[in-house]
Amino acid sequence: MRTSELYASSPVRAALGRTLRPGGEALSRRMMVLADPEPGSLALDAGCGCGATLGMLRLKGAKAFGLDLSAAFLREAGGDGHAVARADLASLPLPDASLDLVVCECAWNLTDKERTLAEFSRVLKPGGMLALSDIYTRGYRSGEWPLRCCFAQATDLQTVMEQMAGAGFEIDVVEDHTPLLKKTAADFVFRHGSMHGFWQAVTGDEDLAAAACAASKESKPGLFLLLARVFGK
Ligand SMILES: C[S@@+](CC[C@H](N)C(=O)[O-])C[C@H]1O[C@@H](n2cnc3c(N)ncnc32)[C@H](O)[C@@H]1O
């Protein structure tokens, strides 16, 4: 199953709506409060999905545009009048030091993470801000996740901090929003009877569903939100 198929699947869309990830609009609103983009500032939503956060950035007066790999999600975002284009976050079609803000919500873990962070660092102006939310792990799991999803390449927070520093970022704020992840999981259970039921509905495969539940139990996923500024390596 390809990543975009997983996020486009009806069990995921029915539970998550236009924000294709745990935390929903509540987490994006918190991100907007912290990042507080200036009117007229140039902002990228990296892995914009259906464009829900592009709307929030535009309400703040930012000149916002989105990049994503999925043609279907880009059509949805474009249909709402957002400026979007297809690109891999690990190879941004943007000039150096051109952006004030990069927002990336549950897309980083799906990419070539080191290259993507290096690209965010390259395209931000000195002092420019990265607002990043994604899954992290609180447990240990050896071996790969059975599915390509935002849990698969998640690491512990210490590793995230080291990767940020390695790409030239200084952290301003880190917040733990794991309760929002638990709320999303509870919604999946409510709709499908259990997490196994949810994964079974998404994948149509008993073995994959069992493997996803086991992987989740071992890795103990959490949800972080961080803001960081780039000052060069
Ligand atoms: C979990 S969804 C989150 C979408 C959106 N940020 C949101 O909050 O609703 C992850 C998104 O990242 C996109 N994506 C995955 N890998 C990508 C890559 N290498 N380059 C660009 N987009 C990518 C997917 O197509 C999907 O839209």
Side-chain angles (χ1 to χ4, degrees):
M1 170 176 244
R2 287 187 306 146
T3 316
S4 55
E5 286 167 358
L6 187 148
Y7 289 104
S9 68
S10 43
V12 171
R13 290 303 304 266
L16 299 182
R18 292 182 69 76
T19 54
L20 304 164
R21 60 181 160 74
E25 289 191 2
L27 191 58
S28 303
R29 279 196 296 274
R30 177 66 188 152
M31 188 183 261
M32 290 302 115
V33 168
L34 293 172
D36 197 20
E38 298 270 330
S41 58
L42 191 54
L44 163 66
D45 185 352
C48 61
C50 306
T53 300
L54 284 170
M56 293 190 193
L57 287 163
R58 285 170 65 181
L59 272 178
K60 286 268 188 184
K63 286 186 269 174
F65 66 101
L67 296 174
D68 202 285
L69 270 186
S70 159
F73 294 152
L74 288 170
R75 264 196 305 279
E76 213 168 311
D80 282 347
H82 298 306
V84 290
R86 190 165 189 273
D88 185 343
L89 302 185
S91 179
L92 293 173
L94 299 169
D96 295 358
S98 51
L99 303 182
D100 300 294
L101 174 65
V102 173
V103 165
C104 185
E105 298 171 291
C106 273
W108 181 45
N109 278 350
L110 297 167
T111 68
D112 179 330
K113 294 174 73 174
E114 202 173 320
R115 280 180 58 200
T116 294
L117 265 195
E119 282 295 82
F120 290 167
S121 176
R122 178 182 69 76
V123 299
L124 279 165
K125 295 174 185 169
M129 184 176 283
L130 170 63
L132 179 68
S133 66
D134 221 318
I135 301 297
Y136 74 98
T137 56
R138 297 171 296 156
Y140 175 72
R141 174 175 165 81
S142 60
E144 291 202 350
W145 247 76
L147 289 164
R148 274 207 70 208
C149 62
C150 51
F151 297 95
Q153 289 200 89
T155 65
D156 58 71
L157 265 186
Q158 180 61 35
T159 305
V160 173
M161 299 305 147
E162 286 165 12
Q163 287 174 312
M164 298 289 297
F169 287 97
E170 285 182 18
I171 309 281
D172 278 356
V173 185
V174 186
E175 292 184 347
D176 190 330
H177 289 280
T178 303
L180 286 176
L181 178 62
K182 290 185 176 162
K183 194 164 167 266
T184 302
D187 189 21
F188 289 159
V189 170
F190 179 73
R191 288 163 185 268
H192 299 279
S194 63
M195 280 309 292
H196 183 96
F198 166 72
W199 285 116
Q200 164 76 36
V202 170
T203 63
D205 183 316
E206 278 286 333
D207 293 340
L208 262 185
C213 288
S216 185
K217 207 169 167 192
E218 279 174 19
S219 56
K220 293 191 181 67
L223 180 62
F224 72 84
L225 164 60
L226 70 77
L227 269 81
R229 287 183 188 279
V230 68
F231 289 104
K233 286 191 236 184

